[in-house]
Amino acid sequence: SQQGEEDPQALSIQEGENATMNCSYKTSINNLQWYRQNSGRGLVHLILIRSNEREKHSGRLRVTLDTSKKSSSLLITASRAADTASYFCATDASPSSYKLIFGSGTRLLVRP
Amino acid sequence: EPEVTQTPSHQVTQMGQEVILRCVPISNHLYFYWYRQILGQKVEFLVSFYNNEISEKSEIFDDQFSVERPDGSNFTLKIRSTKLEDSAMYFCASSDPDREIGTGELFFGEGSRLTVL
């Protein structure tokens, strides 16, 4: 399959701490995206990083991409209780195929 | 802000029955998708649809499944002869790919929860 695994599967931190989630994949990609899913809800796009980029920031989010290791990480700084959700990475193999393949996700719990 | 809408939010059906899940994608998007998420598991690609035909489908998307764009706004997923293992959350999504960005951001609906008894 195109997608690998994310780790950790679950992460519990205290409000104010940083949360780091990792994603690995198997094939060449055009870009990699991160999505958030609140329990029982739809997925919401957070950030996209292209294959020629190494790092990208958006507010409290920092994403890195290492294409040589086929891995990415999502860092959420100064976490809040409202950040509690599942986080998924998704790879885009376009233009060979216009779809996203999602990883298994990390369940983040931020304790107040 | 434009959004993807899905109906019904929850459907309960008996094994062997047919189910139709409906979606209204964002109007100027060109690609439409169905994904499935079994409770607590990963989000799995089922099918993509472009220019009124299936662009790509996964191994999950067998003859039991079909998709249709019956008019200019709706996009449907039909599941024939449902099985217990079809119980899942089904998400519709749409995107506006281009050669520079690729698939781009997927906009997801809130999902339709299917329970097969």
Side-chain angles (χ1 to χ4, degrees):
Chain A
S1 75
Q2 177 180 334
Q3 189 50 274
E5 297 298 323
E6 289 171 70
D7 75 88
Q9 290 187 329
L11 181 60
S12 178
I13 60 174
Q14 202 71 35
E15 201 165 30
E17 294 179 339
N18 295 341
T20 299
M21 290 158 265
N22 302 295
C23 164
S24 63
Y25 58 93
K26 296 178 180 176
T27 62
S28 298
I29 61 170
N30 182 329
N31 64 66
L32 185 143
Q33 303 178 35
W34 285 88
Y35 285 77
R36 167 191 167 129
Q37 183 184 36
N38 287 353
S39 181
R41 306 293 299 275
L43 286 85
V44 176
H45 179 263
L46 294 175
I47 195 166
L48 179 154
I49 185 166
R50 298 189 185 188
S51 59
N52 61 355
E53 296 176 311
R54 292 297 165 258
E55 187 172 314
K56 199 164 184 179
H57 297 255
S58 176
R60 293 185 296 114
L61 305 180
R62 172 178 168 254
V63 170
T64 62
L65 179 64
D66 186 336
T67 53
S68 67
K69 295 181 180 178
K70 291 187 167 57
S71 67
S72 173
S73 67
L74 171 68
L75 168 67
I76 303 174
T77 60
S79 63
R80 306 165 182 168
D83 294 329
T84 295
S86 291
Y87 292 82
F88 295 88
C89 68
T91 52
D92 177 355
S94 60
S96 62
S97 127
Y98 285 126
K99 70 175 187 282
L100 297 185
I101 298 297
F102 287 84
S104 51
T106 294
R107 294 188 309 279
L108 174 65
L109 171 64
V110 182
R111 304 186 305 274
Chain B
E1 185 174 323
E3 60 179 13
V4 175
T5 57
Q6 290 188 241
T7 54
S9 56
H10 189 191
Q11 179 146 3
V12 181
T13 189
Q14 294 291 325
M15 193 168 53
Q17 296 297 304
E18 177 180 285
V19 164
I20 296 177
L21 306 179
R22 292 181 168 79
C23 168
V24 179
I26 293 173
S27 61
N28 63 338
H29 283 181
L30 301 179
Y31 269 79
F32 314 131
Y33 307 83
W34 285 101
Y35 283 82
R36 178 180 83 175
Q37 185 179 35
I38 295 172
L39 185 62
Q41 299 187 25
K42 67 194 302 181
V43 178
E44 300 175 294
F45 170 76
L46 292 180
V47 65
S48 59
F49 191 86
Y50 170 72
N51 200 24
N52 282 319
E53 61 182 27
I54 290 175
S55 176
E56 195 169 349
K57 60 183 181 179
S58 71
E59 292 177 352
I60 303 170
F61 195 89
D62 59 20
D63 292 344
Q64 185 193 5
F65 295 89
S66 63
V67 289
E68 191 178 32
R69 187 158 165 82
D71 53 44
S73 59
N74 289 285
F75 177 51
T76 62
L77 173 69
K78 181 188 290 186
I79 309 173
R80 288 180 282 274
S81 189
T82 50
K83 299 174 281 194
L84 295 177
E85 55 265 38
D86 294 328
S87 294
M89 183 76 95
Y90 289 82
F91 290 103
C92 175
S94 68
S95 75
D96 186 20
D98 65 45
R99 287 202 173 275
E100 186 177 345
I101 296 176
T103 302
E105 176 183 348
L106 257 58
F107 291 78
F108 282 84
E110 289 292 338
S112 292
R113 180 172 299 283
L114 175 64
T115 302
V116 182
L117 302 176

